[in-house]
Amino acid sequence: MEPGLIRAAQSGDRDALITLLREIETHVYRTAYYIVNNEQDAMDAAQEALIRIYTKIGSYEEKAQFKTWIQRIVTNICIDKFRRNKPTVSIDEHDMVFHEKQNVEDEVLSAYAAQDIRSAIDQLPDHHRAVVVLRYLQDFSYNEIAESLDLPLNTVKSYLFRARQQLQTLLHDYQKGGVRG
């Protein structure tokens, strides 16, 4: 995000604010979808997040990165609003396209692996799922995750460590070269 655009939006420039919201709306929706794993709920959460960003832009302080400030808003809305609905994470579905030079068996096994990884992430507790989404799907640094979720850095590291252990246990068959069947 361009700092000048953010400052203009904060100072009341409506066009700058609309431009800023348009720039972040896909990111906001994608994050919401990863957390709630439901298109309609993700659209609702993204809309609520964009409204909150619109109304709270004046409270953004440059001591935090803008993307982590946005991420905190989206993540909190998703966790708070959809906790009762057992939010889940989804990795984008990938169409199975068979290419001439690729092994069809590998493509099928990759599709099963992606499905099993999605299923394993869905089984993680909310706080572990959130850090996994931010780290591995949104490519946030540990510090950015800590800022986004308002957690101490060591807690983020601990959650990621435990989440990886849980995923390793849940995905045990793949470690041995097995396939679910």
Side-chain angles (χ1 to χ4, degrees):
M1 299 314 127
E2 182 184 320
L5 183 63
I6 296 167
R7 282 199 269 312
Q10 286 181 298
S11 67
D13 182 338
R14 189 173 183 276
D15 291 335
L17 182 55
I18 290 170
T19 300
L20 185 63
L21 292 173
R22 284 192 177 131
E23 282 185 18
I24 65 172
E25 69 182 330
T26 301
H27 172 73
V28 168
Y29 170 79
R30 187 178 328 124
T31 298
Y33 186 79
Y34 285 146
I35 295 172
V36 301
N37 195 27
N38 174 293
E39 186 176 343
Q40 189 61 48
D41 289 343
M43 287 191 313
D44 290 346
Q47 182 177 14
E48 187 174 330
L50 290 170
I51 290 169
R52 191 166 299 166
I53 292 164
Y54 179 87
T55 59
K56 303 277 186 186
I57 190 76
S59 68
Y60 166 68
E61 297 174 4
E62 291 187 29
K63 62 183 177 185
Q65 288 186 25
F66 189 68
K67 74 176 187 175
T68 59
W69 183 74
I70 292 168
Q71 195 64 52
R72 180 182 297 169
I73 291 171
V74 176
T75 304
N76 287 341
I77 286 171
C78 290
I79 289 173
D80 292 345
K81 187 170 184 165
F82 300 108
R83 181 169 291 195
R84 290 180 212 95
N85 295 341
K86 190 185 182 293
T88 56
V89 174
S90 175
I91 299 172
D92 290 335
E93 293 291 332
H94 297 285
D95 294 330
M96 284 183 51
V97 178
F98 299 111
H99 303 285
E100 291 177 34
K101 295 183 179 183
Q102 289 185 324
N103 185 331
V104 173
E105 182 179 345
D106 290 343
E107 291 284 337
V108 171
L109 291 177
S110 292
Y112 278 125
Q115 185 177 356
D116 286 345
I117 290 168
R118 258 191 315 281
S119 176
I121 292 172
D122 289 348
Q123 295 176 52
L124 294 175
D126 292 345
H127 53 284
H128 289 174
R129 186 180 314 115
V131 295
V132 166
V133 166
L134 295 177
R135 180 70 183 129
Y136 299 110
L137 302 178
Q138 296 291 3
D139 201 29
F140 272 46
S141 70
Y142 290 171
N143 287 329
E144 290 170 334
I145 295 168
E147 284 181 42
S148 295
L149 298 177
D150 198 22
L151 294 171
L153 182 60
N154 285 335
T155 302
V156 169
K157 291 177 181 178
S158 174
Y159 284 178
L160 280 169
F161 178 78
R162 289 188 184 122
R164 284 191 298 264
Q165 284 183 319
Q166 290 170 317
L167 288 171
Q168 189 173 19
T169 300
L170 292 166
L171 296 168
H172 184 65
D173 289 343
Y174 286 101
Q175 293 172 358
K176 295 190 174 194
V179 184
R180 72 182 181 103

